[in-house]
C-alpha cells in the first residue's frame, strides 16, 4: 500500500509539474509576443500582471513536485554522521516540520482569499483582474503541497515504525548509491 500511494502521489505531482511547465511556456510566449508587438506600437497589455500571477501560482504548485522528487535544499551536516536509523528519524522530523509549516502557510493563506471573495476585490490595473482567480490558484497550490507533505509524513512514519530505514531514506531522504551498496 505504501509503495502504491507514493507512486500515485509522484504521478500526480509529475502531471502537475508538466501542466505548470506548459502554463509557463504559454505565458513566456505571451510575454514575448507582447514585447514584439510593442515594437510596432501594439500591445495586448497586462502581460506583466498576468505573468506575475502565473509565477505566484506556479511557485506554490511546483513545490509538491520538488518534494516528491527529493529536490528541496537540505543541510546534511549532522544527518550524514548518523547511522541509517538516526538518518531516518531526522528525515521524518524534517518532513514533519515541513508539513507543519506548509499546513500553517496554507491555513494562513485562506483568509487572504476569503477576504478577496467577500469584498469582490479587483486588481488596481487596466485589466481589473478579479483577484480571487490568481489567489485561488496560489492558495490551492499551498493546500496541495500541505496534503502531499502530510501524506509523506504518514507513509514515512509507517516505514519507520516497521524499522524500514532504507525505505524512509528512499522516500524522503537523500540516499546515495554508496549507502545502498554498503547496506547502511
Amino acid at each position: 500500500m505504501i509503495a502504491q500511494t507514493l507512486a500515485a502521489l509522484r504521478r500526480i505531482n509529475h502531471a502537475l509539474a508538466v501542466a505548470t511547465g506548459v502554463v509557463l511556456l504559454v505565458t513566456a510566449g505571451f510575454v514575448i509576443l507582447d514585447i514584439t508587438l510593442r515594437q510596432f506600437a501594439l500591445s495586448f497589455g497586462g502581460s506583466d500582471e498576468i505573468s506575475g500571477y502565473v509565477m505566484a501560482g506556479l511557485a506554490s504548485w511546483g513545490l509538491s513536485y520538488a518534494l516528491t522528487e527529493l529536490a528541496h535544499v537540505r543541510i546534511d551536516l549532522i544527518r550524514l554522521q548518523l547511522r541509517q536509523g538516526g538518518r531516518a528519524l531526522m528525515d521524518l522530523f524534517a518532513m514533519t516540520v515541513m508539513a507543519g509549516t506548509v499546513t500553517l502557510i496554507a491555513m494562513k493563506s485562506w483568509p487572504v482569499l476569503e477576504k478577496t471573495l467577500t469584498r469582490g476585490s479587483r486588481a488596481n490595473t487596466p485589466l481589473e483582474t478579479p483577484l480571487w482567480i490568481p489567489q485561488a490558484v496560489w492558495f490551492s497550490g499551498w493546500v496541495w503541497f500541505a496534503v502531499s507533505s502530510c501524506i509523506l509524513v504518514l507513509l514515512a512514519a509507517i516505514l519507520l515504525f516497521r524499522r524500514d530505514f532504507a525505505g524512509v531514506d528512499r522516500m524522503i531522504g537523500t540516499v546515495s548509491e554508496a549507502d545502498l551498496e554498503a547496506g547502511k
Side-chain angles (χ1 to χ4, degrees):
M1 178 192 106
I2 292 175
Q4 295 89 342
T5 304
L6 180 60
L9 185 61
R10 284 187 170 148
R11 277 193 309 275
I12 292 167
N13 281 322
H14 183 267
L16 290 169
V18 169
T20 58
V22 169
V23 170
L24 185 59
L25 284 173
V26 169
T27 303
F30 174 68
V31 170
I32 290 169
L33 184 58
D34 191 41
I35 291 169
T36 303
L37 287 173
R38 290 178 195 169
Q39 305 309 310
F40 304 102
L42 300 170
S43 176
F44 293 122
S47 63
D48 55 339
E49 180 181 351
I50 292 169
S51 62
Y53 296 145
V54 168
M55 291 306 293
L58 295 182
S60 68
W61 279 97
L63 292 169
S64 295
Y65 177 72
L67 178 68
T68 54
E69 295 302 313
L70 305 178
H72 286 277
V73 174
R74 302 181 66 103
I75 300 172
D76 287 337
L77 182 67
I78 297 170
R79 183 186 174 275
L80 292 176
Q81 304 304 315
L82 301 173
R83 295 184 186 269
Q84 194 174 34
R87 287 194 310 255
L89 193 58
M90 290 281 288
D91 290 337
L92 180 59
F93 173 73
M95 184 61 64
T96 303
V97 170
M98 179 186 288
T101 302
V102 173
T103 301
L104 182 63
I105 291 170
M107 288 170 38
K108 295 295 185 178
S109 298
W110 169 247
V112 174
L113 177 57
E114 183 181 38
K115 188 184 291 186
T116 296
L117 289 168
T118 302
R119 293 182 178 176
S121 301
R122 294 182 165 273
N124 186 14
T125 63
L127 291 181
E128 294 184 3
T129 306
L131 290 176
W132 70 267
I133 297 170
Q135 287 178 359
V137 172
W138 169 76
F139 170 71
S140 60
W142 281 110
V143 169
W144 178 246
F145 186 26
V147 168
S148 293
S149 60
C150 288
I151 289 171
L152 286 177
V153 166
L154 179 64
L155 296 177
I158 291 168
L159 289 176
L160 191 62
F161 180 74
R162 293 180 182 170
R163 302 185 58 81
D164 183 358
F165 304 133
V168 174
D169 216 10
R170 283 190 301 275
M171 183 186 306
I172 62 173
T174 57
V175 68
S176 69
E177 292 300 319
D179 286 345
L180 288 175
E181 289 172 12
K184 290 184 179 178

